[in-house]
Amino acid sequence: MNLLLQPGHARTSPALDAFIETRLLALADRQRIEEAVVRLGDDREASPRYQASILLRIPGPDLHAVACDHTLRGAVQRVIDAVEAQVAARQGRREARRRSRLQQSGAARIGRAW
């Protein structure tokens, strides 16, 4: 997995960088990730002030999420939770399709009409 961290105008700490890396590596155990782009923003005029976005390049359609919070760590945690929920939903749909195919009769699966 290639991890790109783009802090923008936000100041990151080594602890936050480690938090992002460990959460994305844990997600990479469930879903193959080719590249993860994490963008962090700090807009002093906005409320909530901090914004985080993630773009995951994975096999199939890419996943992306954006979240805002009053703390940088909160925004990062929210955006990673959103991406994890998207991965879980995708895996759930895949399992449902697999189960429905297995429940069909053998004749229906191979296209024979008996």
Side-chain angles (χ1 to χ4, degrees):
M1 172 179 70
N2 187 17
L3 175 61
L4 299 173
L5 183 60
Q6 299 173 346
H9 293 289
R11 280 194 187 171
T12 62
S13 65
L16 183 64
D17 295 345
F19 174 73
I20 294 169
E21 185 176 357
T22 56
R23 289 284 301 265
L24 289 177
L25 286 174
L27 183 62
D29 289 340
R30 293 189 297 153
Q31 170 72 46
R32 191 173 122 225
I33 300 173
E34 295 172 6
E35 182 179 49
V37 180
V38 180
R39 290 187 182 99
L40 306 174
D42 178 7
D43 186 6
R44 295 175 194 265
E45 306 289 321
S47 179
R49 178 177 173 172
Y50 298 100
Q51 180 178 3
S53 67
I54 291 182
L55 171 67
L56 295 180
R57 300 195 190 282
I58 60 174
D62 294 345
L63 296 178
H64 52 86
V66 177
C68 297
D69 198 72
H70 294 285
T71 63
L72 189 56
R73 183 177 174 98
V76 168
Q77 192 163 359
R78 283 179 187 230
V79 76
I80 292 175
D81 290 343
V83 167
E84 286 176 344
Q86 289 180 20
V87 168
R90 183 178 286 188
Q91 288 176 343
R93 287 191 304 268
R94 188 179 307 133
E95 283 296 319
R97 280 195 311 267
R98 188 174 299 140
R99 270 186 264 131
S100 69
R101 274 192 234 131
L102 290 175
Q103 290 175 354
Q104 293 175 352
S105 69
R109 281 198 313 258
I110 59 175
R112 294 184 186 163
W114 294 98

